[in-house]
Amino acid sequence: MRNIPTITRNLLIINVLAFLVCTLMGTDAMGGYVLNNVLGLHFFMAPDFRLYQLFTYMFMHGGWDHLFFNMFALWMFGCVVERVWGPKKFLFYYISCGVGAGLFQELAQFGQFYLMASEQIPEFSWTMVSAVAHNSAGLLNAWTTVGASGAIYAILLAFGMIFPEERIFIFPLPIPIKAKWFVMIYAGIELFSALSTTGDGVAHLAHLGGMVFGFFMIRYWQKHPTTGYGKSQGEQFFDNLRSAWEKRSKKQADSGRTTTRTGNADWDYNARKQQEQAEIDHILDKIRKSGYDSLTSEEKRKLFDQSKK
C-alpha cells in the first residue's frame, strides 16, 4: 500500500470501509443494504432523492464482487494516471466524472420512466409527469444506483488517452492489445449493453457518462494546458526547472561578455551554451508531451546533471 499514490490509496480505503459499514448495518426486506438506500443515488423524481447522493453513491457498492472489480481497476489504472497528473488533478477528475456519470444515469432513468408511463397510460403527456411520479413513489424509490464504475471507466479512458500505444492484457485474450483499442472495446460493450432491452440491472449509461465527461475534460485540458488543472504538478516542476535554466544561462552569457576572452573563445563558449540549452529545452518539451518515463537514460542523466548545477 505504501507504493500506491495518495489519492488512489485513500479512495481504495474509503470504498472498502464504506462497504464494511454497509454490511454491518444489514439489509432491508428486499435484500438490499440499508445504507445504500440513504447514500445511493435515487431517481431525481423519487421522494428519497437527495442532492448529496450524486457524490455519495460512488462510494457505495452492491456486493463483494462489485467492490472487488471496481477497486482492482482503480488500483491498476488509477496509480498510473495519478502519477502522471498529480493528486489534485486526479481527484478533481475522479469526482467530477463520478458526478457526471450519475447525471447520465438520472437522464437514462427519466427516459425509462417516461416510456413506461407512455405505454401504460393512454394520452400520457408532459403535463402528467409530476402527478404520475407522485403516484409511483414506491417504484421510483427502488431505482437506486451505487458504485464507482462511472468514475472508474473515466480513469480507464484517461489511461487510454495518455498511453494509447501501451499494450495491456485482457482476459481471456492470449495476446496484449493497445490501450486505445482496449478503451474502445469497453465503450462499445457498454453502448451495446445500454441499448439492449434485456435489463441486466447494470447502469451502463452511467459507465458511458463517466467516459463522456472524462473525454471532454481531457480534451479541454489539452487545449488549455495552462488553466485550472490543465497543468500537473510534474509539468509545473519541469517548467520551473526550465525557467531557472534559462535565467542561469542568460546570467552566464552576460558574465561571459565581461571577460577578456578572445573572439573565438567567446564564440565557442556561447555556441556550447546554446547547444546545451537546446538539449534541455528538448528534454523538457518531451516530458510535457510524453511524460518523464519516455526519456532515454542519457536524457535523464543530462537532466539530473543540470539540476545539480
Side-chain angles (χ1 to χ4, degrees), residues 109-281:
Q109 288 179 336
F110 180 79
Q112 182 181 356
F113 165 72
Y114 189 86
L115 290 176
M116 290 175 56
S118 299
E119 292 174 355
Q120 299 177 12
I121 302 175
E123 299 181 358
F124 178 75
S125 64
W126 286 100
T127 59
M128 302 172 62
V129 169
S130 180
V132 174
H134 177 75
N135 295 331
S136 307
L139 172 64
L140 298 184
N141 276 332
W143 290 3
T144 308
T145 303
V146 295
S149 300
I152 298 300
Y153 271 73
I155 296 299
L156 173 63
L157 173 80
F159 179 87
M161 293 182 70
I162 296 172
F163 305 103
E165 303 301 321
E166 187 73 21
R167 295 182 180 274
I168 56 180
F169 280 95
I170 303 179
F171 181 83
L173 297 180
I175 58 174
I177 66 172
K178 293 183 178 180
K180 60 184 179 182
W181 302 121
F182 175 70
V183 172
M184 291 181 185
I185 289 173
Y186 261 77
I189 292 174
E190 290 302 311
L191 180 60
F192 175 80
S193 301
L195 297 177
S196 175
T197 58
T198 56
D200 56 4
V202 179
H204 297 290
L205 277 178
H207 301 171
L208 287 173
M211 298 183 83
V212 169
F213 263 72
F215 175 80
F216 284 107
M217 195 177 302
I218 293 173
R219 291 294 294 166
Y220 178 82
W221 285 337
Q222 289 174 341
K223 293 181 179 179
H224 305 83
T226 60
T227 59
Y229 289 104
K231 182 175 289 190
S232 67
Q233 291 181 344
E235 291 172 331
Q236 291 175 350
F237 168 78
F238 288 112
D239 279 352
N240 293 338
L241 181 62
R242 178 174 182 171
S243 297
W245 161 255
E246 291 174 346
K247 291 179 180 178
R248 187 181 298 111
S249 299
K250 182 178 180 181
K251 182 178 180 181
Q252 291 174 345
D254 292 340
S255 62
R257 283 193 293 267
T258 62
T259 64
T260 59
R261 296 178 180 181
T262 64
N264 289 335
D266 286 342
W267 188 90
D268 291 339
Y269 175 80
N270 292 332
R272 185 173 66 254
K273 286 300 180 182
Q274 289 177 359
Q275 182 180 0
E276 290 178 356
Q277 182 172 349
E279 291 177 350
I280 295 299
D281 289 346

Side-chain angles (χ1 to χ4, degrees), residues 36-56:
N36 282 351
N37 294 331
V38 179
L39 300 180
L41 179 60
H42 289 273
F43 179 43
F44 71 93
M45 299 189 74
D48 288 346
F49 170 77
R50 301 293 184 273
L51 192 60
Y52 64 77
Q53 293 168 354
L54 283 168
F55 296 90
T56 58

Side-chain angles (χ1 to χ4, degrees), residues 59-126:
F59 299 100
M60 303 292 106
H61 287 85
W64 284 106
D65 55 342
H66 189 201
L67 175 71
F68 172 78
F69 286 110
N70 274 344
M71 295 303 99
F72 178 77
L74 174 59
W75 166 77
M76 184 175 181
F77 298 104
C79 289
V80 179
V81 176
E82 182 180 350
R83 287 192 177 103
V84 174
W85 281 352
K88 292 182 179 180
K89 180 176 179 179
F90 177 77
L91 179 61
F92 177 82
Y93 178 83
Y94 183 92
I95 297 298
S96 299
C97 291
V99 173
L103 294 175
F104 260 70
Q105 180 64 5
E106 291 290 321
L107 182 62
Q109 288 179 336
F110 180 79
Q112 182 181 356
F113 165 72
Y114 189 86
L115 290 176
M116 290 175 56
S118 299
E119 292 174 355
Q120 299 177 12
I121 302 175
E123 299 181 358
F124 178 75
S125 64
W126 286 100

